[in-house]
Amino acid sequence: MASLRFPSLLVCLSSLTVLLISPSYSLTCTSQTFTNRHVYTNCTDLPSLNAYLHWSHNSTTSSLSIAFVAAPAKPDGWIAWAINPTGTGMVGAQSLVAMKRSDGSMAVDTFNISSYSSIVKSNLSFAVSASSAEYSGGVMRIFATIALPEKATTVNQVWQVGPSVTGGMPDKHDFLPANLIAKGTLDLATGSGADTSVPALAPGPGSGSGGEKSAGGKGGASRIGKSNIVFYVFLFLACFVCCF
């Protein structure tokens, strides 16, 4: 029996190795490109929802240019990136939301999230310019430039993805662990994602079409999502239970 179990274990472990090194699981912000050819000083692999933030901070004009990248929960869903000027969570967030219009085109709307039950389409507490969105390859991207308070050194950021849109309004997102931890601090002074980032690795080859990758890659790194790690550990343990 042992002679039969050992080959089975090798097959199982080989499959696990393929999953771990697959490009779909190792993609980082440093390998992403944009069709509008924007170049950003920094990028951060956000720790949940397979999301990424590319950004440049201009301290002279107190402005923040961003490209937020994530896949909606479903193809007709939405993605959002927000700044919370008063707290660290969703309530109080000033949000940029990308979604499809009824004609299939992409747009960015601004929402003030005063509570979990109240999402109001309105102007934000800070000026937003050059906002746009695109959707390709199952991924949505938000582009915008945001006016920050003078001498701001950190930003409380929140991000989210949702499954659907009704009447031009984003429907409720899931409340799974990955959704609930989608927040962190962006450190403008050091150029890092603070608690939302992981150590940087060398940039990988560019992907996409016609774009430029982020120049700095600070805060960006190869990582595997926390939920995926749990899956891999479970698979690894299952191999030994089944084969021994």
Side-chain angles (χ1 to χ4, degrees), residues 14-27 224 232:
S14 297
S15 299
L16 178 60
T17 301
V18 169
L19 283 172
L20 287 171
I21 65 175
S22 170
S24 63
Y25 289 96
S26 61
L27 178 67
I224 300 171
Y232 297 142

Side-chain angles (χ1 to χ4, degrees), residues 18-69:
V18 169
L19 283 172
L20 287 171
I21 65 175
S22 170
S24 63
Y25 289 96
S26 61
L27 178 67
T28 68
C29 63
T30 56
S31 67
Q32 295 172 342
T33 61
F34 305 112
T35 56
N36 60 12
R37 304 190 68 81
H38 281 185
V39 177
Y40 299 89
T41 307
N42 311 281
C43 72
T44 300
D45 289 354
L46 300 174
S48 69
L49 301 177
N50 293 320
Y52 309 87
L53 182 70
H54 302 251
W55 55 283
S56 297
H57 176 232
N58 188 325
S59 58
T60 303
T61 60
S62 295
S63 62
L64 180 68
S65 297
I66 64 103
F68 173 68
V69 181

Side-chain angles (χ1 to χ4, degrees), residues 163-243:
S164 56
V165 176
T166 302
M169 296 290 289
D171 293 326
K172 184 179 297 185
H173 61 77
D174 292 333
F175 284 83
L176 300 173
N179 301 90
L180 298 178
I181 65 171
K183 57 185 179 180
T185 303
L186 196 64
D187 192 324
L188 305 176
T190 63
S192 73
D195 57 323
T196 68
S197 69
V198 286
L201 295 181
S207 61
S209 58
E212 297 288 344
K213 61 189 175 186
S214 289
K218 296 179 182 177
S222 177
R223 62 157 178 80
I224 300 171
K226 294 179 181 178
S227 59
N228 288 333
I229 291 175
V230 173
F231 169 75
Y232 297 142
V233 171
F234 176 80
L235 179 60
F236 185 80
L237 292 175
C239 288
F240 280 91
V241 170
C242 293
C243 298

Side-chain angles (χ1 to χ4, degrees), residues 152-172:
T153 58
T154 61
V155 167
N156 294 325
Q157 63 171 334
V158 184
W159 61 96
Q160 199 54 252
V161 301
S164 56
V165 176
T166 302
M169 296 290 289
D171 293 326
K172 184 179 297 185

Side-chain angles (χ1 to χ4, degrees), residues 71-88:
K74 293 184 179 179
D76 290 326
W78 52 269
I79 67 170
W81 184 83
I83 289 177
N84 191 331
T86 60
T88 59

Side-chain angles (χ1 to χ4, degrees), residues 53 56-58 61-67 81-83 94-96 124-131 142-149 155:
L53 182 70
S56 297
H57 176 232
N58 188 325
T61 60
S62 295
S63 62
L64 180 68
S65 297
I66 64 103
W81 184 83
I83 289 177
Q94 306 282 295
S95 183
L96 304 169
L124 304 185
S125 61
F126 46 81
V128 178
S129 61
S131 62
I142 296 175
F143 304 96
T145 297
I146 299 158
L148 298 177
V155 167

